[in-house]
Amino acid sequence: MSTLDDNHTGARIKEQRRLARLTQRQLADRLPFSYALLNSVECGLRPATADFVAACAKALNIDVTVLTGQRVPAALSAFRLRPDRSRIRSHAYGPEGRMRHVRSDLPDRVPTGC
């Protein structure tokens, strides 16, 4: 039997489950894992695998980092993950709105009959 503090992954799963107002049985019904495994992980008797944590996060509709205890650095939290579409369009399309060749070593037409 391991002696873990209340800051292990299982304890965070339990906390988030309670915040979602779910019983262990209700959460287990949403998981592709057994009720016994959920109980063991929450009690700290068994370690939580990455697949188990991901399934719990999906069932609880929260981010995995909430359950793993990992923090996203502040510099990354403000980082835009979407590309700037205006740059992509202006680079790949000419002023007429038609696709233009971006690389100069490419021929204007691809030979047919290959």
Side-chain angles (χ1 to χ4, degrees):
M1 181 186 262
S2 63
T3 57
L4 294 174
D5 59 5
D6 288 338
N7 197 19
H8 63 283
T9 304
R12 287 188 289 273
I13 291 171
K14 182 177 184 177
E15 176 187 9
Q16 292 301 315
R17 174 182 58 78
R18 286 183 172 174
L19 288 173
R21 297 182 184 270
L22 295 173
T23 64
Q24 280 186 338
R25 184 68 64 189
Q26 289 170 326
L27 179 56
D29 288 343
R30 296 180 181 190
L31 299 175
F33 297 94
S34 69
Y35 166 80
L37 178 62
L38 175 61
N39 188 346
S40 297
V41 169
E42 282 191 0
C43 293
L45 300 175
R46 294 183 68 180
T49 64
D51 289 338
F52 183 79
V53 173
C56 287
K58 184 177 179 182
L60 293 168
N61 199 25
I62 57 174
D63 193 68
V64 175
T65 58
V66 174
L67 299 179
T68 60
Q70 296 173 337
R71 301 285 185 246
V72 178
L76 292 179
S77 64
F79 183 70
R80 286 186 60 189
L81 297 178
R82 294 182 178 170
D84 184 0
R85 297 282 181 203
S86 63
R87 286 186 180 171
I88 294 171
R89 282 191 205 102
S90 66
H91 182 70
Y93 292 90
E96 305 86 30
R98 291 183 295 163
M99 186 71 169
R100 64 183 172 107
H101 294 289
V102 178
R103 292 178 48 192
S104 61
D105 61 330
L106 294 176
D108 286 341
R109 292 181 165 247
V110 177
T112 57
C114 294

